[in-house]
Amino acid sequence: MFQEEFGIVDTELAPEIPTDADNTDGISHTIAEGSALEDVVLVASAEPLPEISVEQALEDTSLWLFGSTLQTFVDSVAASEPDVKQIGRSVKEIVDMFAQSEASISAITRVLASIFSDSLDMEDVETNAELAAAGESSDGLEHDLLHYILTAAADYAHTTDMTNSTRRVLQLLVQLTEAKVDVGFRWLLHSVVNAGKPVQYARYVEQYAEGTLQAALVRDLGVLQEQFPGLFYAVLPQIYAAFPDAFPGCRGIVKSAIALIDQPQVYRLGALIARGQLQLFGHRQAAITAIIGMTLESDAFEQVCFWQLLNAEVGGDEARVAGIAHYLLLEKKLDPASNSEAATGLLTLLKASSPTPSLLKSLFKYVAATENSDVGVDFSGNVLTAWLRTSKAVLLNALSELAPSTFSADMVQSVVSRWLERYSQQLDEKDRYEIQQALVPKPVAPVIEVPNLSSVERSSEHRPVTRSQKAKEDNERKRRISNSQPILRQQSRQETPK
């Protein structure tokens, strides 16, 4: 279900590869580009907690060590005008007592989850982030109960060593997440964006019995995008900088990035991609094509924005562009009528690329796959005409390389003839002549075979020269020089001016 919803690519399509990204959090997170491990669903070790009231939760015997602290805390939260600062101090005290004791994690989770389920107002983290960016102090912001829990947990999560107290606090956050409290994306913001400590989030993910860092990011970034889309786009480059291995080729993250996106955000993300501060698609061809396949049924505007982002990242990369063209034209048999956004996006990508035999092969085979129909000819002719204007010499050279080696002469001539016919108003006589000349097979230079020498000939060629033979050759050379001297003197006298 998780794979179907978030669309992370199967491992056999995108094998694990090493990355050069800096490890910013001190923990190894080598992730297969576009990968999806079998345990992609985040699973906590404990059983799901039943929904019970706060009163019932407080009756758990493992919580007696808290004395009246928990009850006082519950009463202060339920007050008509709660004292926010007092609540913060109480949360800090409860988390400290819990971390340093053997109190049941599930029991304290029930208490806190029950409080959240009683229609407790949640913090507007987007507004608070904007105010904080404008210089507002933390004391002037309105926070919710979860903020104070996360603040108290951070005091344990930032330590270098994974102590028992740290582990207990992080497991508490996991259990709260399982109890339908939106801890995941809040802890991501708190640890990476606010505190600048990605290791805190990574250690939180490690407390799951099953799951991966990439799966956690897909889940939490998805929730953040749904609830606070403006904040999502604002912090995306920071999250990428913290976990660069998890982004490239991940369909779930791309899905969140293009959902409800607008043109200003497209421009901003495109600029980040151009500067190397964000990477969404990576270099694994299977991961890229899987992402494209996912978007073919998306909203039209989302597809337009998606292709703009794809062009920003892969445009000009010959290998990736060739792979995308092969996938859409030959594997998906692209129909511009039903997938006009993808067709337009691919046209833009191809026109900005340099013509190569590989791209020509895909275009020509696409025409053949469409049974030489106007659809195939129009699409391929559109690209070929653009290349003729921008890269004429390169195109003609690619055509000359392609014709004799890949297709039959009749097939090549058929496609080119249809192109020249349908685009006659765009091509002059010189263009037509040069295109036809590029398709003429070049004469093959004759191969000169060196005759095999017999063993007697080979032995005579390499026989050593005797002294008498050498003396005879020297005398013959001197005779030739002596005979030539009178002729040279006579020529010299004739050329001397009187």
Side-chain angles (χ1 to χ4, degrees), residues 154-222:
D155 291 340
Y156 293 89
H158 80 279
T159 57
T160 304
D161 299 326
M162 178 63 83
T163 64
N164 184 60
S165 296
T166 301
R167 184 174 292 104
R168 284 175 56 78
V169 169
L170 293 175
Q171 288 175 350
L172 172 62
L173 297 184
V174 169
Q175 289 301 309
L176 284 173
T177 307
E178 294 298 299
K180 311 301 182 185
V181 180
D182 285 333
V183 171
F185 88 90
R186 292 284 297 275
W187 184 243
L188 177 64
L189 292 174
H190 191 94
S191 57
V192 177
V193 179
N194 297 342
K197 298 182 182 298
V199 66
Q200 296 181 353
Y201 181 79
R203 285 178 170 172
Y204 157 76
V205 176
E206 289 173 354
Q207 303 312 306
Y208 282 89
E210 298 180 13
T212 64
L213 175 64
Q214 189 181 67
L217 286 171
V218 168
R219 180 199 65 188
D220 295 335
L221 285 173

Side-chain angles (χ1 to χ4, degrees), residues 274-306:
R275 294 198 299 266
Q277 295 175 310
L278 180 65
Q279 187 179 166
L280 294 175
F281 304 101
H283 291 267
R284 288 293 182 187
Q285 200 59 53
I288 296 174
T289 54
I291 293 173
I292 294 174
M294 173 193 71
T295 64
L296 291 178
E297 302 300 325
S298 298
D299 173 79
F301 182 74
E302 288 182 5
Q303 288 193 58
V304 171
C305 296
F306 162 78

Side-chain angles (χ1 to χ4, degrees), residues 354-373:
S354 179
T356 63
S358 175
L359 290 177
L360 286 175
K361 184 188 301 185
S362 294
L363 290 173
F364 280 32
K365 285 187 174 181
Y366 177 59
V367 176
T370 59
E371 300 180 352
N372 211 22
S373 68

Side-chain angles (χ1 to χ4, degrees), residues 50-113:
E51 294 185 6
I52 59 177
S53 67
V54 176
E55 291 73 18
Q56 291 174 307
L58 287 171
E59 293 176 0
D60 192 294
T61 56
S62 67
L63 302 182
W64 289 356
L65 62 90
F66 287 92
S68 61
T69 303
L70 278 177
Q71 186 61 61
T72 302
F73 167 68
V74 172
D75 294 340
S76 63
V77 171
S80 58
E81 295 183 4
D83 185 341
V84 177
K85 292 185 178 180
Q86 178 58 43
I87 291 176
R89 288 191 292 269
S90 298
V91 168
K92 171 65 175 172
E93 183 181 359
I94 291 170
V95 172
D96 287 342
M97 293 176 65
F98 165 77
Q100 299 169 24
S101 69
E102 295 299 326
S104 168
I105 297 177
S106 60
I108 193 66
T109 301
R110 286 190 182 93
V111 174
L112 296 176

Side-chain angles (χ1 to χ4, degrees), residues 229-296:
L231 183 59
F232 167 83
Y233 291 110
V235 303
L236 196 61
Q238 290 175 268
I239 306 297
Y240 170 76
F243 307 111
D245 295 354
F247 274 61
C250 179
R251 281 188 286 170
I253 293 178
V254 173
K255 181 178 180 180
S256 295
I258 65 173
L260 304 178
I261 196 171
D262 55 25
Q263 278 300 317
Q265 295 296 357
V266 172
Y267 179 82
R268 181 173 178 273
L269 293 187
L272 291 171
I273 290 172
R275 294 198 299 266
Q277 295 175 310
L278 180 65
Q279 187 179 166
L280 294 175
F281 304 101
H283 291 267
R284 288 293 182 187
Q285 200 59 53
I288 296 174
T289 54
I291 293 173
I292 294 174
M294 173 193 71
T295 64
L296 291 178

Side-chain angles (χ1 to χ4, degrees), residues 382-399:
N382 193 334
V383 179
L384 293 170
T385 304
W387 283 342
L388 194 64
R389 296 168 181 162
T390 60
S391 308
K392 186 174 184 177
V394 180
L395 173 61
L396 296 176
N397 183 64
L399 282 170

Side-chain angles (χ1 to χ4, degrees), residues 11 13-21 29-35 244-246 248-249 279 281-285 287:
T11 49
L13 296 180
E16 185 168 337
I17 58 171
T19 65
D20 298 327
H29 299 306
T30 301
I31 297 175
E33 188 179 288
S35 68
D245 295 354
Q279 187 179 166
F281 304 101
H283 291 267
R284 288 293 182 187
Q285 200 59 53

